[in-house]
Amino acid sequence: MPLTNIRPTAELQALDARHHLHPFSAQSEFETKGARIMTRAEGAWLTDSEGEQLLDGMAGLWCVNIGYGRHELAEVAERQMRELPYYNSFFKTSHVPAIDLAERLAQLIPGPLNSVFYSSSGSEANDTNIRLVRRYWELKGQPDKTVFISRKNAYHGSSIGSASLGGMAAMHAQGGLPIPDVHHIGQPNWYMEGGDMSPDDFGLMRARELEQAIEEIGPDRVAAFIGEPIQGAGGVIVPPSTYWPEIQRICDAHDILLISDEVICGFGRTGNWFGFETVGTRPDIITIAKGLSSGYQPIGGSVVSDEVARVLGQDEFTHGYTYSGHPVACAVALENLRILDEEKIVEQVRDVTAPYLKEKWTALADHPLVGEASICGMMASLALTPDKAARAGFAAGPGTAGPIGRDFSFANGLVMRHVYDRLVISPPLILTTSEIDTLIERAEKSLDQTLAKLKEDGLYVAA
Ligand code: PXG
């Protein structure tokens, strides 16, 4: 079977539209305009079925941290598939890749986070967290501690449990979500919701919503607080610096477990190995996936503190997936961590590329269409606005400018994602400074074209 596409794009697109249901898409749209079909990738560059090259400003889906084309991972996968392609760790068995990766994670993750429960994705890991945390409190003799507190506009996955933890209104609008005992407080999004407050005061105010919620629900009912250090899918919302220390104080004061969802922020994205190091918290549990394997294999996990592991270990935890700790995925993740570590990719991000990107990215805030340029490490966004001073949205509603900007960006050979009217990037961590220059040039050109189009269509009007 050929690995390289040799069929006409139109034929592939027609088959795709007919038989392949896409995530977060209206399938009917593919009938009029087929999907863009990617065929190869190398470094930070994608090639599509027409041979066009795109700079991947999203590292796939926030995950290809070491970049594409690292053959070492393919070789490790092949070796593992030949040696032991599958085994599980259910009935008092284990295998070398799962053990080695667990040890490596314990070394890498600061603090008492030394035990991992494996899954194949971030959604599964957060579902595990729901069951694991409730079981923890049961075993501690506090079975009423079942409530999770999360934030509006948080993203924690797409399964029923993890989407309930998430705070995406559009997801909750379908299928009867959220499940009971999940409570959402406001997000620390100063640009959208801070009004006349200073960012620091707003950060404190939003953190204290956690304390109010705990008081209303009762500390004897609240099990855990979950948050992404920097909200990713919500639009790269960098919270004010006052926010996370206050959240930590409140969790400590009320005996609430803190879960840091590191699915995007982990493995170098923010310029440290983990996002919780960047924002200065001491989580009891972290969720990992994506950058753990740089997306080369599906793998995730819940990494828990010694205390959580000790309590949980007292009795059988009736939970597990066929692919928990899949040997090929573990072996590939281990090789990915070796590359991140030995090639000092996280240090390179912290000391060179993230500061360089920050300088160029924040300069885009001078563009007439940009109300805010936010950035942390190698994740960043631009809030598009028709009125910078008022931080206004568009009269035609949320999502007026974002999709236009995204389409121009693709046409200019740069993959950006949009979240309503924010344009988002999260490029591979191996991006060079000259690739950053290319990214910025293409982003700026896309902004100019978006502004012109909005004016032409009479959409450059504040709400
Ligand atoms: N937590 C966080 C913080 C995430 O960003 C998940 C959990 C779920 O992981 P899985 O592996 O189950 O997808 C995520 C995933 C987007 C987008 O459009 C973001 C994610 C997934 C798909 C799309 O920004 N994040």
Side-chain angles (χ1 to χ4, degrees):
M1 191 145 104
L3 283 173
T4 307
N5 162 50
I6 48 162
R7 282 184 286 169
T9 300
E11 183 188 322
L12 287 166
Q13 286 174 327
L15 290 169
D16 183 66
R18 174 67 184 86
H19 298 296
H20 175 199
L21 297 176
H22 287 243
F24 283 89
S25 306
Q27 192 69 16
S28 55
E29 285 173 17
F30 295 109
E31 284 161 21
T32 42
K33 190 173 189 305
R36 187 132 184 188
I37 295 165
M38 304 303 178
T39 51
R40 306 189 72 83
E42 189 67 36
W45 294 84
L46 297 159
T47 305
D48 73 10
S49 55
E50 294 294 290
E52 272 189 54
Q53 290 218 314
L54 294 119
L55 179 58
D56 187 3
M58 281 306 298
L61 216 40
W62 322 75
C63 56
V64 188
N65 289 12
I66 61 166
Y68 300 94
R70 293 300 303 249
H71 294 186
E72 301 93 320
L73 274 64
E75 280 148 25
V76 162
E78 189 195 345
R79 212 181 316 136
Q80 189 58 48
M81 278 196 198
R82 289 183 191 281
E83 213 169 281
L84 182 72
Y86 175 76
Y87 206 69
N88 64 76
S89 40
F90 273 53
F91 309 115
K92 298 192 171 55
T93 59
S94 197
H95 52 72
V96 179
I99 297 166
D100 283 350
L101 180 60
E103 183 203 19
R104 186 73 190 107
L105 286 167
Q107 288 166 350
L108 269 178
I109 304 170
L113 297 159
N114 291 313
S115 305
V116 61
F117 195 105
Y118 290 117
S119 62
S120 302
S121 69
S123 300
E124 282 182 356
N126 278 326
D127 275 13
T128 295
N129 286 336
I130 297 175
R131 300 203 58 213
L132 186 156
V133 163
R134 288 182 176 165
R135 184 68 186 140
Y136 167 84
W137 287 116
E138 256 171 35
L139 287 165
K140 296 251 296 185
Q142 293 172 269
D144 294 335
K145 273 170 100 69
T146 55
V147 177
F148 283 77
I149 301 182
S150 177
R151 289 97 55 86
K152 293 174 187 152
N153 199 32
Y155 191 85
H156 296 299
S158 196
S159 58
I160 290 181
S162 62
S164 296
L165 290 180
M168 295 289 172
M171 293 175 81
H172 290 180
Q174 297 181 3
L177 300 186
I179 57 170
D181 281 0
V182 181
H183 181 87
H184 297 88
I185 59 174
Q187 59 172 332
N189 183 341
W190 175 82
Y191 177 82
M192 284 277 284
E193 300 170 6
D196 294 334
M197 292 180 87
S198 73
D200 281 357
D201 286 349
F202 176 74
L204 280 180
M205 195 264 284
R206 276 290 145 94
R208 285 177 188 153
E209 284 185 22
L210 174 60
E211 197 148 48
Q212 285 154 21
I214 293 168
E215 276 157 15
E216 276 163 37
I217 298 162
D220 50 335
R221 292 270 293 118
V222 180
F225 175 76
I226 183 166
E228 306 149 79
I230 314 291
Q231 286 155 263
V236 185
I237 311 301
V238 182
S241 60
T242 48
Y243 179 77
W244 276 110
E246 185 66 0
I247 291 282
Q248 180 72 63
R249 182 194 67 73
I250 294 165
C251 288
D252 291 345
H254 298 281
D255 202 16
I256 307 295
L257 294 177
L258 175 59
I259 306 173
S260 185
D261 187 334
E262 300 279 343
V263 169
I264 284 177
C265 292
F267 305 101
R269 177 64 51 201
T270 69
N272 289 298
W273 273 89
F274 296 94
F276 72 83
E277 298 173 84
T278 301
V279 300
T281 53
R282 290 173 279 100
D284 302 285
I285 299 174
I286 68 171
T287 317
I288 55 175
K290 294 196 191 267
L292 168 59
S293 67
S294 284
Y296 281 61
Q297 282 285 294
I299 181 166
S302 306
V303 186
V304 305
S305 70
D306 292 333
E307 172 60 7
V308 171
R310 184 189 65 76
V311 172
L312 198 69
Q314 290 166 8
D315 191 19
E316 181 184 355
F317 179 37
T318 55
H319 178 67
Y321 309 105
T322 301
Y323 299 127
S324 289
H326 191 285
V328 178
C330 288
V332 167
L334 208 50
E335 183 65 5
N336 171 62
L337 297 182
R338 186 192 66 71
I339 289 174
L340 277 172
D341 183 31
E342 286 182 12
E343 297 183 9
K344 305 216 172 311
I345 292 173
V346 183
E347 288 86 342
Q348 172 77 4
V349 165
R350 187 191 61 207
D351 300 335
V352 182
T353 34
Y356 188 81
L357 178 63
K358 184 173 185 174
E359 193 192 318
K360 307 261 166 180
W361 192 259
T362 48
L364 293 176
D366 294 337
H367 193 279
L369 189 55
V370 176
E372 177 188 57
S374 62
I375 179 161
C376 179
M378 295 290 270
M379 57 197 291
S381 68
L382 302 171
L384 308 184
T385 176
D387 182 346
K388 284 161 92 91
R391 313 202 298 267
F394 290 85
T400 297
I404 299 174
R406 189 210 88 107
D407 287 351
F408 277 123
S409 178
F410 260 72
N412 292 328
L414 169 66
V415 178
M416 285 205 273
R417 185 198 179 307
H418 81 91
V419 178
Y420 297 106
D421 291 309
R422 291 185 95 97
L423 292 175
V424 170
I425 58 160
S426 173
L429 304 185
I430 45 88
L431 212 65
T432 62
T433 49
S434 99
E435 286 168 334
I436 290 174
D437 291 340
T438 305
L439 185 154
I440 296 289
E441 268 164 38
R442 293 180 182 186
E444 205 163 5
K445 182 175 173 198
S446 308
L447 287 172
D448 289 342
Q449 291 166 318
T450 305
L451 179 59
K453 173 88 178 137
L454 288 167
K455 285 182 174 165
E456 195 182 303
D457 293 352
L459 293 170
Y460 193 55
V461 183

